[in-house]
Amino acid sequence: MADQEEDFSSLPLPDRFAHKNWKVRKQGYEDAAKTFETTPDESDPAFRPFILDSGLWKGAVADSNVAAQQDGINALCAFLKFGGQEACRRSRSVTITPIVEKGLASTRAATKQSALEALLLYIELDKSDPIIDDILPSLNNKQPKLIAATLSALTAIFHAYGVKVVDPKPVLKALPKVFGHADKNVRAEAQNLAVELYRWLREAMKTLFWNDLKPVQQQDLEKLFEAVKQEPAPKQERLLRSQQAVEAVASNAQEEGEAEADAEEEQPGEIDAFDLAEPVDVLSKVPANFQESMASSKWKDRKDALDALFAMVITKT
């Protein structure tokens, strides 16, 4: 009993994060979150130990005790929210995978929500590419529950930030495989993600994955897309920290009307299919005799050369 009542609050927070007693770790996570929330700015010394040793967060977000894990992810969210871009960049390489594997797939609803918030904060503070790159491998996991949770998180990410902030191409390429998954929950979440992407991309999204789907899968999606066609164009619901700074400046400007007009103009319209097309090195495929054929005195030689070139560069959508 004496050991259970021992007071560990005098230990430094990093030591409590690594303590063998889960109750000490849990209290350490709670105290860390409170500390971060009361810091005056990102340069506060409270952030330093956790920036210098980002491995502390790997253990926190994947804590073996589910109650402690929940507070560990909450502490990470506070660290990101108040620690800024450096906190984001220094920790993301060790946290995204355990957040997805241990957080999104948690049996606790609050832990799932905090895990998703952590992913959204990572994108908000810097950029989406490193985050998406670390999320996508979980779609190859053997556990259907984790794959479904990953797809749901991707849907939420695109819903919040849109396709201008988050590049949809890597995700679109991964869709056909999950559509063919044996688990119905995975397939359902794949449909939800496809519908969310259709809200932003419309018909242009089909250039990257549509032909890899079975006809029945295409038909099911077309039915779901019909409802989306009646909706207004979506708008980015969550701003990056850099966008927030621009908005703050604009709100303080005298020409508020002009600032609002500019903001509206930046809302994305329908994406062109060529925006999603993969780059192709056309010059390397031009026949060696192309110039000779074009210099021929016979019109048929010139026409044949141009027809061959056209057939090579045309993009079928």
Side-chain angles (χ1 to χ4, degrees):
M1 291 296 292
D3 290 340
Q4 292 179 2
E5 296 173 0
E6 187 176 350
D7 184 9
F8 293 96
S9 60
S10 61
L11 286 176
L13 285 172
D15 291 348
R16 286 195 269 166
F17 270 46
H19 203 278
K20 64 180 180 180
N21 187 320
W22 72 266
K23 292 182 179 179
V24 178
R25 297 195 303 274
K26 184 178 187 298
Q27 189 61 53
Y29 302 150
E30 293 176 359
D31 290 347
K34 294 175 183 176
T35 299
F36 299 144
E37 290 169 1
T38 57
T39 54
D41 54 48
E42 300 170 5
S43 63
D44 192 274
F47 297 108
R48 212 81 220 131
F50 299 93
I51 289 175
L52 295 175
D53 185 5
S54 56
L56 291 167
W57 293 115
K58 184 177 181 179
V61 300
D63 198 295
S64 58
N65 181 276
V66 293
Q69 181 200 20
Q70 183 174 325
D71 286 313
I73 298 177
N74 288 341
L76 175 64
C77 289
F79 175 69
L80 295 171
K81 184 176 181 180
F82 299 100
Q85 195 173 73
E86 187 178 14
C88 162
R89 291 177 174 175
R90 293 294 291 270
S91 63
R92 66 188 174 198
S93 64
V94 299
T95 57
I96 302 303
T97 298
I99 285 173
V100 174
E101 293 181 351
K102 303 296 184 181
L104 293 179
S106 172
T107 56
R108 293 190 165 207
T111 301
K112 289 182 180 180
Q113 189 57 43
S114 294
L116 176 59
E117 176 62 18
L119 296 177
L120 293 171
L121 279 168
Y122 270 115
I123 295 174
E124 176 185 319
L125 287 162
D126 192 26
K127 55 186 178 181
S128 65
D129 294 356
I131 311 307
I132 299 300
D133 287 345
D134 283 348
I135 291 175
L136 287 178
S138 292
L139 295 180
N140 297 318
N141 196 279
K142 294 181 180 180
Q143 299 180 39
K145 177 183 177 181
L146 176 56
I147 300 174
T150 302
L151 290 167
S152 178
L154 288 168
T155 301
I157 287 171
F158 281 107
H159 191 83
Y161 291 113
V163 296
K164 291 294 185 181
V165 171
V166 184
D167 183 3
K169 286 187 286 187
V171 177
L172 283 169
K173 291 177 182 178
L175 273 181
K177 183 176 180 179
V178 289
F179 264 101
H181 200 281
D183 187 87
K184 65 178 182 179
N185 293 323
V186 171
R187 297 195 302 273
E189 290 296 347
Q191 282 191 336
N192 292 339
L193 177 55
V195 170
E196 180 60 37
L197 288 168
Y198 189 82
R199 292 177 65 236
W200 298 91
L201 299 169
R202 303 296 180 177
E203 294 299 307
M205 69 180 283
K206 295 181 179 180
T207 60
L208 282 181
F209 83 107
W210 197 251
N211 292 334
D212 294 324
L213 298 179
K214 296 177 181 179
V216 65
Q217 294 169 335
Q218 294 177 348
Q219 293 168 11
D220 290 342
L221 282 177
E222 289 288 11
K223 294 177 183 177
L224 296 173
F225 291 165
E226 282 301 316
V228 178
K229 293 177 182 178
Q230 311 304 317
E231 299 177 1
K235 295 183 179 181
Q236 183 179 341
E237 294 186 357
R238 182 163 178 158
L239 298 179
L240 300 177
R241 197 66 62 92
S242 58
Q243 294 173 319
Q244 294 174 30
V246 172
E247 190 176 75
V249 172
S251 66
N252 292 329
Q254 295 297 321
E255 303 81 18
E256 290 187 2
E258 293 181 11
E260 291 177 2
D262 290 343
E264 289 181 3
E265 289 175 3
E266 289 178 2
Q267 292 297 338
E270 188 167 339
I271 305 295
D272 189 277
F274 284 101
D275 293 335
L276 300 176
E278 293 293 329
V280 177
D281 184 3
V282 175
L283 293 179
S284 66
K285 299 182 180 181
V286 175
N289 65 341
F290 178 75
Q291 294 290 351
E292 180 182 346
S293 298
M294 289 301 299
S296 174
S297 59
K298 298 180 180 180
W299 68 268
K300 191 174 185 306
D301 290 344
R302 299 194 299 274
K303 180 179 183 299
D304 289 345
L306 289 172
D307 286 345
L309 179 65
F310 179 79
M312 181 180 62
V313 301
I314 190 66
T315 300
K316 296 181 179 181
T317 60

